[in-house]
Amino acid sequence: MLADIGIFGLGTMGENLCLNLVEKGYKVSIYNRTEEKTRKFYEKNRSSAIIPTYNLKDFVESIKKPRKVILLIKAGDPVDEAINHLLKHVEKNDIIIDAGNSHFKDSDRRYSELKKVGVNFFGIGISGGVEGARKGLSIMAGGSKEAFDEIKEILEKISAKYNGEPCFSYFGEGGSGHFVKIIHNGIEYALIESISEIFFLLSKFFDHEKISEIFNEWNKSILSSFLLSATVNILRKKENGKFLIDYILDKAEQKGTGKWSVEISLETGIPAPAIAAAVFSRYISMMKESRVKYSKLYNLSKITNFSLDLEDIKKTLLVSILLSYIQGIYLLKGSSFYNYKINVSEALRIWRAGCIIRGEILNLLYKEYLNYEDILLSNNIKNILLESFQSFLKTLSFAFNNHLPFNVISANYNYFIMVINEKLPANLTQALRDYFGAHGYKRIDKEGYFHTEWY
Ligand code: NDP
């Protein structure tokens, strides 16, 4: 009997997605560039519902028509290589689904190229990590509209469920699904960094067990989220009686999706300083050897007495997380720049389960967005931000006074204080541009551009 679907790529995601599909009743054909991995996986998970294959011809021929092939491999050139190899074997109307973290512009290109040869292409963003692949993902699909019905049922079955509602959606043609996934990851960067900055502050005064308890308490409130609960577990984890976190090097790498979110911000002109700060925080973390040298030269270390209320810190995390999501929402709204028509409320809806950025604040934003597409105009959001603002300021000034890095949290402060300020110093910015470059400036009392001979 032929397979219902094929998985190309048996890395951590491919293996787990295969098991998830089998559990949902599908027969799955598998292929991996390195044969050994396929062999080992099959030996461990021997089942009549899995067909191991060791060349692409057998792989493709083992799948029912129209064939559905999910690529779960390293993004970039490997995806083009894999598609080129597959094209030698697939036929018209077959479906190639790239479920890796590809750039949406690559997915646009692949979509058009495959359309020309009659093959349907989907760029699908998936979130949920290894557990999601195994138990249920948040799925952001984009690609061939006419072929979506062919894969809909499969996506529904492997998706996470929020109160029984499947967390998958089709966002439009081309790379629109991967566009949504990139913004998801940008938000993820800012949330991770917000939690890390608060952890770093708390770690100056409390041990890991205590911080874990504090986060655990916060996790029962509106701050409840996958990332905070993951932090609770990480801080509890011991190895040979010692906290594992103390043995982890303070250098954080990245694979590119955060940077791509910032590129979207720069290209569209929609500000996302919290996401940019999170990306830069990782870059700065990578300068470990230099940091060690500079820290000896600029010895500013200073820790005053702990003069904060935990409630102030909690509210600071709340504000930083909320504003990080909000910047991501405005980025999603800018999808028309790339000729997409992303349904933002759908993105928020399907992020509520399965994905890495799921949490109560997101649930609130989903509800508020239904009434306020310009989300900062929501009364509920306004009340949270204003009610927490004094606490936010207290924590911020404490962190500054103690020379603690608050890159994302302070980026969120500046974003907030700027977007809610009717007047900004951009009048002087305009004047200076005109002074040295004769770029002209706009006035408040007359229409048009003006130039002044300043000297
Ligand atoms: P892994 O690093 O575990 O595995 C990488 C896979 O890519 C392997 O099967 C590898 O094959 C294959 N591969 C690499 N280069 C090539 C190539 N040139 N041609 C063919 N195959 C190649 O990756 P993951 O399973 O973690 O991730 C797979 C995709 O899913 C990536 O795009 C990733 O960004 C995305 N993703 C990952 C998530 C995660 O939490 N890990 C979450 C969401 C998306 P070989 O064994 O031969 O080296």
Side-chain angles (χ1 to χ4, degrees), residues 271 323 330 376 413-422 424:
L323 289 170
Y330 285 114
L376 276 167
Y413 165 78
N414 282 309
Y415 173 80
F416 181 59
I417 222 65
M418 286 184 80
V419 297
I420 63 162
N421 222 313
E422 189 189 335
L424 291 174

Side-chain angles (χ1 to χ4, degrees), residues 336-352:
S336 57
F337 184 87
Y338 302 102
N339 299 319
Y340 301 138
K341 287 191 195 115
I342 301 299
N343 181 334
V344 177
S345 94
E346 266 300 277
L348 300 176
R349 182 185 71 77
I350 64 156
W351 287 347
R352 291 178 304 162

Side-chain angles (χ1 to χ4, degrees), residues 85-124:
H85 291 312
L86 279 170
L87 282 179
K88 290 178 198 137
H89 306 285
V90 294
E91 294 171 17
K92 269 197 167 176
N93 299 325
D94 283 348
I95 298 170
I96 297 179
I97 302 164
D98 172 18
N101 275 333
S102 292
H103 196 289
F104 65 94
K105 289 181 184 172
D106 284 334
S107 299
D108 273 341
R109 173 179 53 77
R110 289 167 188 147
Y111 170 77
S112 308
E113 286 169 1
L114 293 194
K115 197 170 186 177
K116 282 185 205 141
V117 293
V119 172
N120 294 299
F121 176 80
F122 286 92
I124 291 197

Side-chain angles (χ1 to χ4, degrees), residues 91 161 170 303 322 399 442:
E91 294 171 17
K161 310 292 176 296
Y170 173 75
I303 291 295
L322 185 52
K442 284 188 168 182

Side-chain angles (χ1 to χ4, degrees), residues 10-13 32-34 37 73-74 78 81 100-101 126 129:
L10 291 177
T12 41
M13 293 300 279
N32 192 67
R33 179 183 60 171
T34 311
K37 237 186 222 173
I73 61 174
K74 197 169 174 240
E81 282 164 30
N101 275 333
I126 56 175

Side-chain angles (χ1 to χ4, degrees), residues 50-319:
I50 299 176
I51 308 175
T53 66
Y54 300 95
N55 65 64
L56 278 181
K57 185 170 181 291
D58 289 353
F59 173 62
V60 171
E61 286 178 357
S62 68
I63 307 166
K64 259 186 230 161
K65 293 181 192 174
R67 301 179 181 99
K68 302 166 192 82
V69 173
I70 299 186
L71 294 177
L72 262 166
I73 61 174
K74 197 169 174 240
D77 292 341
V79 175
D80 286 315
E81 282 164 30
I83 290 176
N84 286 337
H85 291 312
L86 279 170
L87 282 179
K88 290 178 198 137
H89 306 285
V90 294
E91 294 171 17
K92 269 197 167 176
N93 299 325
D94 283 348
I95 298 170
I96 297 179
I97 302 164
D98 172 18
N101 275 333
S102 292
H103 196 289
F104 65 94
K105 289 181 184 172
D106 284 334
S107 299
D108 273 341
R109 173 179 53 77
R110 289 167 188 147
Y111 170 77
S112 308
E113 286 169 1
L114 293 194
K115 197 170 186 177
K116 282 185 205 141
V117 293
V119 172
N120 294 299
F121 176 80
F122 286 92
I124 291 197
I126 56 175
S127 176
V130 177
E131 194 189 328
R134 182 70 185 82
K135 295 184 182 155
L137 292 155
S138 173
I139 302 174
M140 298 145 250
S144 304
K145 198 171 180 192
E146 46 303 350
F148 188 63
D149 279 346
E150 292 285 345
I151 62 166
K152 201 171 163 185
E153 189 191 289
I154 294 178
L155 296 187
E156 180 171 347
K157 291 251 171 77
I158 58 166
S159 68
K161 310 292 176 296
Y162 181 83
N163 291 339
E165 243 183 80
C167 289
F168 81 97
S169 197
Y170 173 75
F171 287 97
E173 296 191 271
S176 50
H178 276 138
F179 176 84
V180 177
K181 176 69 201 292
I182 288 173
I183 306 295
H184 164 285
N185 282 25
I187 296 171
E188 180 186 301
Y189 270 59
L191 303 192
I192 289 176
E193 197 58 31
S194 299
I195 295 172
S196 300
E197 289 172 3
I198 292 293
F199 157 71
F200 199 63
L201 183 155
L202 288 171
S203 68
K204 301 290 171 197
F205 306 98
F206 303 103
D207 63 24
H208 299 323
E209 216 149 274
K210 176 68 186 167
I211 301 172
S212 180
E213 271 170 35
I214 293 169
F215 283 167
N216 199 31
E217 277 309 304
W218 295 359
N219 204 34
K220 293 172 189 158
S221 69
I222 188 173
L223 280 173
S224 166
S225 62
F226 168 76
L227 283 169
L228 198 59
S229 65
T231 310
V232 169
N233 293 335
I234 288 168
L235 294 180
R236 282 178 184 157
K237 186 78 179 167
K238 287 191 174 168
E239 197 182 80
N240 304 323
K242 305 254 171 67
F243 287 105
L244 179 56
I245 189 76
D246 289 331
Y247 292 91
I248 298 182
L249 184 63
D250 55 336
K251 279 168 89 167
E253 294 180 13
Q254 48 191 311
K255 285 196 171 157
T257 46
K259 185 184 108 186
W260 295 343
S261 286
V262 180
E263 283 169 0
I264 292 171
S265 165
L266 295 174
E267 282 177 354
T268 58
I270 298 168
I275 299 173
V279 172
F280 287 135
S281 288
R282 291 204 196 178
Y283 287 153
I284 296 173
S285 81
M286 294 302 287
M287 299 165 53
K288 176 76 180 178
E289 292 71 23
S290 301
R291 290 193 284 115
V292 170
K293 275 189 255 162
Y294 305 152
S295 70
K296 293 193 173 103
L297 192 64
Y298 298 89
N299 188 3
L300 283 179
S301 57
K302 165 187 159 192
I303 291 295
T304 55
N305 285 338
F306 186 65
S307 58
L308 287 168
D309 195 318
L310 283 178
E311 198 57 25
D312 292 330
I313 307 177
K314 179 182 173 188
K315 285 181 178 171
T316 304
L317 183 58
L318 169 61
V319 171

